[in-house]
Amino acid sequence: MRVRYAETDQMGVVYHSNYLIWFEVGRVELIRSMGLDYKQMEEEEGCGIAVVDVHVRYRAPARYDDELVVETRLLAARGAIIRFGYRILRVEDGLLLCEGETVHVVVGKNMKKQSLPAKYADRFAAHLIS
C-alpha cells in the first residue's frame, strides 16, 4: 500500500492510529489467502473476531507517498482466542517501521464468547507459525 496524504500529521509523518488500520488490512488479507472469507464468517456463521488487546512498537516513521508492505502471520488460534503478529516495512529499503500483535476473541452476534467455527479453526490450525 502507499501512504496517503490524509494519513499523515502536520509533520508529514503517518499518524500512529493508521498502523492499526493497516494491521486490519493485513489480517483480512491473510484470512483471504487461507481460502476463507471474514465477511462470509460473519454472515453464515454469525460470529466475528473482536480485538481485545493490541501491542504496537513504532521503530521508524512512515511518510507521505512511502510504499509499504504489511507482513501478517497467525501466531495462535485456540478455542475462542486468536493472536496475529504484524510487521510493516518500507518497500524502498526494507526498513522495519512498526511491529505489533493483536489478540481477538471470537464472539457471536450477542457479543458473547464462542469457539471459532470448525471450518475456520481447522484452516487456522494449518497456517499456524511455529
Side-chain angles (χ1 to χ4, degrees), residues 73-76 127-130:
R73 61 204 183 284
L74 180 63
L75 301 175
H127 284 83
L128 279 172
I129 301 294
S130 46

Side-chain angles (χ1 to χ4, degrees), residues 28-97:
V28 170
E29 291 304 318
L30 175 65
I31 292 170
R32 184 172 284 123
S33 76
M34 293 179 194
L36 300 171
D37 186 317
Y38 184 73
K39 182 178 179 183
Q40 190 176 22
M41 182 176 78
E42 289 179 328
E43 292 173 352
E44 293 179 6
E45 305 288 343
C47 66
I49 53 174
V51 176
V52 296
D53 192 26
V54 176
H55 293 272
V56 182
R57 170 116 187 194
Y58 303 99
R59 298 199 171 267
R63 298 184 183 276
Y64 170 67
D65 208 37
D66 280 351
E67 188 177 358
L68 309 177
V69 64
V70 180
E71 296 178 349
T72 308
R73 61 204 183 284
L74 180 63
L75 301 175
R78 188 173 194 184
I81 306 297
I82 306 168
R83 195 168 56 114
F84 295 92
Y86 312 88
R87 290 172 25 105
I88 298 179
L89 302 108
R90 187 168 43 225
V91 171
E92 179 182 347
D93 56 7
L95 183 65
L96 176 62
L97 304 175

